[in-house]
Structures are given as C-alpha cells and as structure tokens.
C-alpha cells in the first residue's frame, strides 16, 4: 500500500499514463492481482467517472467530489473512500491539494482552489507485464518489453483450439419468408414533410438556425486563437457552445471578455487546460442559467408576497408599544446616578472639554434636554460646551 507522501506527485514511484491505459491497469490490480482488499466494482465505477474527465494525453483531472457523487448516485463519503483506495494502490497521485481558503480574486466574492489528481501506473503492474522503463517516478516511461513480457503477451494472444469458434454450418435451405409490403401510400408533399427533422436545440435550449450557426462558426474561428485553453476544441464544438451567447445578443467583444472571465486560470486559479473545452464552456453556460433562474424566482416570490393582515399588523404594533413602554419604565434618570458615578462622569466630561471635545455633554443635552445635562454635568460646564460647539467652525477663533 502507498501511504503518506508516496501519494504525492513529488514522491510517487508510479509513472503517469493515459486514461485508457489507466483503466486496463486497474482491471489487473483490482480483479486479477487483488492488490487492495477493499477495492471493488464501486472503485471501478468511481475510476471510470474520473477517466471520463481526464486529460487525454496526461491523465490530469479536477476532483469534483460533489459532481462525482451526484453522477454515480452514491454518498460523498463513498466517493472519498474509493478515491483513497486508488491512491493507496498507487494509481492516483495528488498534483494539487485543494483548499477552501478564499483566493480573494478581484470581482469574485469567494474562490477556492480545486484538488487536481493525476492518473498513474504503479511499479507492480510494470513488473508483472515485463515493461522496461527509463526514468523513475512520475516522469518514467516505457522504452521496451523484456523477454518475459514478450512471452506473456504471446501466450495471452494464443488461444486453445477448443476455444476457437467453429466455422458457420451450411444451412439446408436458402429460402426465407418474403416480406409483404402493405399500408397506405403517401403523397409526395406529405412524404417529404414526414422526413423533415425537428430543429436542433443549443446547450440552453435555443433553436439553432443555419444563419445563427454560421455566425457562431465565424466567431469561433476568430476567438479560438486568442484563448490558449480552447485549442483542444474543434471549431464545430466551440461554435456550438457559443450559439447561446449570440442568440442572447452578445457581441464579439463581449464573448471575448466572457471567455477570459471563465478561463480556468481565472476561475480555478491554476494553469490547467480542460481536455474538452466545449464541455467546460457548456457547464459554465448551464451554471449561469441556473443562477439567473434562481434570481428570477426570488424576484417573483418578492413580487407575489402578501402583506400581513390587519390582525397581524395590530399585534406587531402592540408588541412595539409594549416594548417601548417597558424601556421607558426601566430607563433611569440623572437622579438614579450615585455620587461616585456622577463624579467620574463629570471628571471625564471636563477632560474632554479641555481637549476641545464637547461631545459627552452635547449628547445628553440633545437626548434629554438642558435640565438633565445641567443635573449631570452642572450649569457651568454645559454653558462652556455649548459655547465651544457654537464657535467650532469660526475661523477667527482658535480653540486648540
């Protein structure tokens, strides 16, 4: 079992591979060699979902725990457990450890980093198949096959004579039932109408006309050279996912800016290019459509909200009046202050006044009136603070 740092790309003993070679290797290590006691068909299901999203040449993919669990209709803990089995088999390594820490990208309220995995083949499989490797670890590659490996391949390609299929027997008769043609004949116009196919729909369900698709094709040819992460998509694939933006009235400049906003380098924060850029763009379109639908539903709910009835409004008013009465009843006046508290407040107010700040006295003056302010701070201090406040904005008087 591969444990600890051996599951990381820097310390792994496994070599990188393509998705199709990866699945062949998993069939051997799980079912034939049985290198992991807990790996099962569920592990293979999880691995096939990962392989569908891998880069075709390098075997790199984003984890997408939530999406994998939803597609396989299993719990998130099940996916995490079987991915851990793949790492322990030496068949999966961490290229980037994801984090929920906010990257604080401009224009985005929250952006975390995603977990990136790489498909690898453990040394046990290469040894069993007789592969000769050049290099070590993740960058190792096959340079040949040993004599033992060649013998295994030759033995596996030959089948016993009894397992071969026998040639088909010659039938005793060549006569068969004759099909009878029956039914109504259609007129030319109706026959042509029955062969007319329904209009094609875009990713978001818009009707794709010939003129709209041609415009999207021209747009894709102009924009694909400007965005490096879209190079793996064919023009036809890229134009098909850009149809919705043109149908919504976007200009070429707006589509160009939108492609830069959803680029993996800006959205994920990694120098990563999807193996199927058109599928990535389609997922972004669907996500934006879901967000717009949620906003529309929220606005509709607010518009259709019903005001509270008269009884409910009366109960709310009564509760507010009762609360205000309780506060008024429990609110203390200047006479409730003890001597020590009054001396402390007076000393603090005199200190603030001498530093040019009459705010403490003016706050009581504005809230409770002049009599309450004089009862707490004295008539002399109240008069001085009022005079200081009146001359604050007079440029001819220097207060400090």
């Amino acid at each position: 079992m591969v444990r600890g740092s051996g599951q990381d790309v820097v310390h792994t003993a496994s070599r990188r591979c393509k998705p199709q070679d990866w699945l062949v290797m998993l069939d051997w290590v799980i079912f034939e060699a049985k290198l992991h006691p807990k790996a099962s068909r569920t592990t293979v299901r999880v691995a096939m979902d990962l392989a569908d999203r891998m880069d075709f040449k390098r075997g790199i993919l984003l984890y997408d725990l939530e999406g994998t669990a939803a597609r396989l209709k299993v719990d998130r803990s099940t996916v995490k457990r079987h991915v851990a089995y793949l790492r322990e088999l030496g068949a999966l390594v961490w290229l980037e450890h994801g984090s929920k820490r906010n990257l604080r990208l401009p224009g985005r309220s929250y952006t975390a980093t995603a977990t990136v995995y790489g498909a690898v083949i453990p040394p046990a499989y290469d040894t069993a198949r007789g592969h000769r490797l050049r290099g070590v670890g993740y960058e190792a590659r096959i340079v040949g096959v040993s004599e033992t490996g060649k013998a295994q391949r030759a033995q596996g390609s030959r089948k016993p004579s009894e397992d071969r299929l026998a040639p088909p027997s010659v039938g005793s008769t060549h006569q068969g039932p004759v099909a009878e043609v029956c039914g109504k004949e259609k007129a030319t116009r109706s026959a042509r109408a029955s062969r007319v196919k329904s209009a094609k729909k875009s990713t978001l369900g818009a009707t794709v006309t010939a003129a709209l698709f041609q415009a999207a094709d021209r747009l894709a040819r102009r924009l694909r050279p400007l965005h490096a992460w879209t190079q793996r998509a064919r023009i036809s694939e890229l134009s098909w996912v850009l149809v919705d933006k043109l149908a919504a009235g976007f200009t070429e400049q707006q589509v160009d800016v939108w492609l830069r906003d959803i680029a993996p380098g800006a959205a994920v924060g990694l120098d990563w290019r999807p193996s199927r850029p058109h599928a990535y763009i389609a997922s972004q379109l669907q996500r934006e459509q879901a967000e717009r639908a949620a906003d529309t539903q929220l606005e509709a709910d607010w518009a259709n909200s019903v005001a509270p009835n008269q009884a409910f409004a009366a109960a709310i008013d009564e509760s507010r009046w009762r609360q205000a009465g309780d506060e008024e009843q429990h609110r203390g006046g200047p006479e409730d202050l003890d001597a020590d508290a009054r001396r402390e407040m007076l000393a603090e107010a005199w200190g603030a006044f001498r530093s040019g700040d009459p705010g403490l006295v003016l706050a009581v003056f504005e809230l409770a009136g002049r009599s309450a302010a004089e009862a707490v701070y004295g008539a002399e201090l109240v008069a001085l603070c009022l005079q200081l406040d009146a001359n604050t904005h007079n440029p001819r008087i220097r207060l400090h």
Side-chain angles (χ1 to χ4, degrees):
M1 296 297 171
V2 180
R3 307 286 187 182
S5 61
Q7 299 180 1
D8 197 270
V9 65
V10 179
H11 305 285
T12 184
S14 304
R15 62 178 177 87
R16 66 180 181 179
C17 63
K18 297 180 180 180
Q20 61 269 31
D21 299 333
W22 190 62
L23 293 176
V24 173
M25 175 273 303
L26 286 178
D27 182 72
W28 182 84
V29 298
I30 293 177
F31 298 113
E32 187 174 345
K34 298 181 180 179
L35 299 183
H36 199 295
K38 296 183 179 180
S40 61
R41 294 188 180 275
T42 305
T43 310
V44 176
R45 290 184 61 207
V46 173
M48 292 180 68
D49 183 86
L50 299 179
D52 288 340
R53 297 182 285 108
M54 282 182 182
D55 178 88
F56 180 74
K57 292 184 178 180
R58 298 179 294 172
I60 299 175
L61 81 152
L62 291 177
Y63 186 15
D64 189 18
L65 173 61
E66 303 289 346
T68 304
R71 285 187 293 271
L72 299 181
K73 297 181 180 179
V74 295
D75 193 74
R76 295 170 66 254
S77 60
T78 302
V79 177
K80 293 171 66 175
R81 186 168 60 253
H82 287 278
V83 168
Y85 297 162
L86 294 173
R87 293 199 306 267
E88 291 173 351
L89 283 169
L92 206 63
V93 294
W94 267 302
L95 299 181
E96 185 73 28
H97 291 268
S99 173
K100 293 184 178 180
R101 183 169 56 88
N102 191 3
L103 295 179
R104 302 187 182 278
L105 297 179
R108 298 179 182 273
S109 58
Y110 175 79
T111 303
T113 56
T115 298
V116 182
Y117 279 121
V120 289
I121 291 180
Y125 179 79
D126 290 325
T127 302
R129 295 303 184 192
H131 295 160
R132 291 191 295 110
L133 305 180
R134 175 176 296 172
V136 293
Y138 186 71
E139 296 298 333
R141 58 189 180 90
I142 297 177
V143 294
V145 182
S146 64
E147 296 299 329
T148 305
K150 292 178 181 179
Q152 290 179 355
R153 291 188 179 185
Q155 184 178 2
S157 61
R158 291 195 300 266
K159 295 183 179 179
S161 59
E162 59 270 14
D163 293 341
R164 295 177 182 173
L165 295 177
S169 59
V170 180
S172 58
T173 177
H174 297 283
Q175 295 180 357
V178 179
E180 296 182 1
V181 180
C182 60
K184 260 185 209 180
E185 294 185 0
K186 291 186 177 180
T188 303
R189 182 174 298 176
S190 61
R192 289 176 180 171
S194 65
R195 292 196 299 267
V196 175
K197 298 181 180 179
S198 58
K200 293 184 178 181
K201 300 296 183 180
S202 66
T203 304
L204 302 183
T207 302
V208 181
T209 61
L212 185 61
F213 186 77
Q214 290 173 2
D217 181 81
R218 293 191 296 269
L219 181 63
R221 294 179 186 277
R222 288 195 295 267
L223 292 183
R224 191 176 70 165
L226 304 179
H227 302 272
W229 63 274
T230 63
Q231 301 304 313
R232 292 176 182 169
R234 295 193 296 267
I235 292 296
S236 58
E237 296 172 339
L238 189 59
S239 58
W240 186 260
V241 292
L242 294 181
V243 161
D244 289 292
K245 287 298 180 181
L246 292 182
F250 276 55
T251 63
E252 180 180 345
Q253 290 76 13
Q254 290 173 331
V255 176
D256 184 20
V257 173
W258 179 73
L259 288 176
R260 297 184 188 280
D261 290 339
I262 67 170
V268 183
L270 298 173
D271 186 13
W272 164 76
R273 299 182 185 181
S275 58
R276 301 172 63 201
H278 63 288
Y280 175 80
I281 295 174
S283 66
Q284 295 293 323
L285 288 170
Q286 293 169 351
R287 181 182 62 81
E288 292 179 357
Q289 186 185 43
E291 292 177 354
R292 289 194 299 268
D295 293 341
T296 304
Q297 182 63 38
L298 182 60
E299 293 177 359
D301 293 342
W302 276 107
N304 297 330
S305 60
V306 181
N309 55 30
Q310 187 175 2
F312 183 79
I316 291 296
D317 292 340
E318 182 180 357
S319 176
R320 288 174 179 172
W321 281 108
R322 187 176 301 171
Q323 183 178 2
D326 293 342
E327 292 179 357
E328 188 67 26
Q329 183 177 359
H330 291 90
R331 186 182 301 166
E335 63 276 2
D336 296 332
L337 297 173
D338 56 8
D340 294 337
R342 186 173 298 181
R343 280 196 299 271
E344 184 177 354
M345 292 176 61
L346 185 60
E348 186 177 359
W350 272 107
F353 168 73
R354 291 189 180 96
S355 63
D357 181 15
L360 294 176
V361 177
L362 294 179
V364 179
F365 180 84
E366 294 175 356
L367 293 175
R370 182 167 192 140
S371 58
E374 292 178 351
V376 177
Y377 297 111
E380 180 184 2
L381 181 58
V382 172
L384 291 174
C385 288
L386 292 175
Q387 184 179 4
L388 178 61
D389 181 63
N391 295 315
T392 299
H393 302 290
N394 190 344
R396 296 184 179 180
I397 299 178
R398 187 173 181 179
L399 300 176
H400 305 292

